[in-house]
Every structure is written in C-alpha cells, then in structure tokens.
Amino acid sequence: MAIVAPSILSADFANIQRDVEMINSSQADWFHIDIMDGVFVPNISFGFPVLKAIQKHAKKPLDVHLMIVEPEKFFEEFKNVGAQILSVHIEACTHLHRSIQQIKSLGMKAGVAINPHTPIFLLKEVIADIDLVCMMSVNPGFGGQSFIENTYSKIRELKSLIAEKSSQALIEIDGGVSLSNYKKLVECGADVLVAGNTVFSSSDPIQAILELKNV
Ligand code: DX5
Ligand code: ZN
C-alpha cells in the first residue's frame, strides 16, 4: 500500500483549516507542501505564515518540497514550522551532500527532488544518505499538469540504484498522479504518491484518497 500525500497547493486557501481537517480525517498519510520562489520555478506558492497555519491544524507529517534556490538559507525555519521531511532539488544545490547533512542534523528526514530531464545516475553518490527521492513526473511549478510517461522507466532505474546501494530511500512521485496511473506507478516501485488535483478536484476527496490507498 502506498503512502498518500495530498498536495496542499490544490487546496482552497480561503478554507485552509477545513481542507487540512479533511486530510486529517482521511486515510492520507502525509501533507505535501510545495514551496516555490518564482526563480527556480516560474511560479510563487506561499511561505512561512501559511505553513504555520497548516502546522496549527495538521495531525500528520508535513512533507515539504522546496522549489527554491539557495534552500539551505531556510532549513532551520522550515524545521521550526513543523517540516518532518524536507526535500531540496538536485538542480538547485551546488553542495548537495552538505545540504543533505544539514537537513539531517536538524532532525528532519532528507529528500532530494529531481526534475523530469535529470538522469537518475546523478543520485548515485547520495542515494545511500537520503530518506526520499521526490521524482517529478511533471515540470515543477504548477498543479494539474499532465503526467510525463517517461517516469515509469525512471522509477525502475531508481529502484535498482536503491537496491544496488542498499539505500532506504522511498520513491515519491510528484505531478499528474491520477486514478488511472497510480496502480502502474506502485507496480513500478513508487512508495509515495503525491496528489493535488486528483484529491482536491474530486467531488469526494476522502474517497479519492481511499482509492489511491487501495492498490
Ligand atoms: C508541482 C508540485 C506538485 C503539485 C502536484 O510543482 O510539486 O506537488 O502540487 O499537483 P498535481 O497532483 O495536481 O499534479
Ligand atoms: Zn511537490
């Protein structure tokens, strides 16, 4: 059974407490939180005040996905607003190894996110040190985009790298996860499914989450 992480980016920000409580009461496992800076990605999402409001009501782990340049400037602040899993983009970190160690030394789980064009072999030297790979199955920046099919073969490749290096890293798929592709994603080796549009555009979000759990 996959870990399901609804993406708050697709929530109703005028009713954030209601949507957080919906996730609390569902079968979802984590909250997926997308932070965008308008530089690394062509969009701006939200920052610490919103994250604090989410933290106040959330009863499940906060899985924070940083789509920002120079993420290390803010690791401590993300820890303070409740991040339990913190992912940085491989494309945004010059000193990725150091960034991973910093995240772990603050007591968070460390994740590395990779864009659709980034090859899996670039994770080779860090895979044994990390807790999660956030594999982008769309180009980051927006919710509701369509899934990139090449992701399936990347999952298989990552799965074998993880085995080869005796890594404990979970494989998280982020972008375009739907009720028509989630089964195949899990069959290929996905451990965590992020779902924004699929959950929040559903007429029955609780049921959509339940379906994603029932592989
Ligand atoms: C995209 C974000 C995703 C996004 C997924 O940049 O990282 O987490 O919220 O949304 P859906 O599931 O709608 O593609
Ligand atoms: Zn994300």
Side-chain angles (χ1 to χ4, degrees):
M1 193 185 281
I3 291 170
V4 171
S7 175
I8 286 292
L9 189 65
S10 299
D12 177 354
F13 285 90
N15 288 289
I16 196 77
Q17 180 177 355
R18 181 200 67 191
D19 283 359
V20 168
E21 281 169 359
M22 180 278 289
I23 294 173
N24 284 341
S25 68
S26 76
Q27 295 294 308
D29 301 275
W30 299 347
F31 288 85
H32 185 80
I33 315 253
D34 291 306
I35 307 293
M36 305 178 183
D37 66 354
V39 178
F40 181 69
V41 287
N43 195 12
I44 294 175
S45 58
F46 52 82
F48 296 113
V50 173
L51 207 37
K52 266 188 204 147
I54 295 169
Q55 179 194 25
K56 198 165 142 198
H57 301 290
K59 298 206 169 80
K60 297 178 179 182
L62 306 184
D63 164 38
V64 179
H65 174 196
L66 300 183
M67 284 161 272
I68 64 176
V69 298
E70 301 182 31
E72 57 287 341
K73 281 185 182 169
F74 301 105
F75 288 164
E76 208 163 334
E77 211 162 338
F78 281 108
K79 166 74 182 176
N80 293 340
V81 293
Q84 293 185 31
I85 305 140
L86 194 62
S87 297
V88 293
H89 264 268
I90 188 170
E91 302 86 2
C93 291
T94 309
H95 303 288
L96 182 64
H97 181 272
R98 178 186 290 146
S99 300
I100 291 165
Q101 303 311 322
Q102 285 172 338
I103 293 171
K104 295 207 291 192
S105 69
L106 287 165
M108 295 178 283
K109 303 251 186 223
V112 173
I114 62 167
N115 279 337
H117 74 276
T118 302
I120 293 299
F121 72 81
L122 292 175
L123 292 168
K124 194 173 156 214
E125 307 305 332
V126 294
I127 194 72
D129 290 336
I130 61 181
D131 300 291
L132 177 129
V133 175
C134 176
M135 188 185 289
M136 294 311 301
S137 37
V138 297
N139 285 295
F142 304 91
Q145 302 183 83
S146 41
F147 179 83
I148 296 172
E149 297 286 321
N150 185 46
T151 307
Y152 298 117
S153 64
K154 283 183 85 178
I155 299 174
R156 292 193 194 97
E157 202 183 332
L158 177 56
K159 196 87 189 155
S160 53
L161 179 66
I162 286 171
E164 184 194 317
K165 296 283 185 180
S166 307
S167 163
Q168 301 292 312
L170 297 174
I171 303 177
E172 175 177 69
I173 307 303
D174 188 8
V177 172
S178 70
L179 296 180
S180 47
N181 63 19
Y182 76 99
K183 281 192 185 161
K184 188 168 172 191
L185 289 168
V186 174
E187 273 164 27
C188 289
D191 302 297
V192 186
L193 302 171
V194 173
N197 195 52
T198 294
V199 168
F200 288 99
S201 295
S202 165
S203 56
D204 189 347
I206 299 261
Q207 181 58 32
I209 291 167
L210 200 59
E211 276 192 54
L212 292 170
K213 292 289 301 176
N214 285 331
V215 176

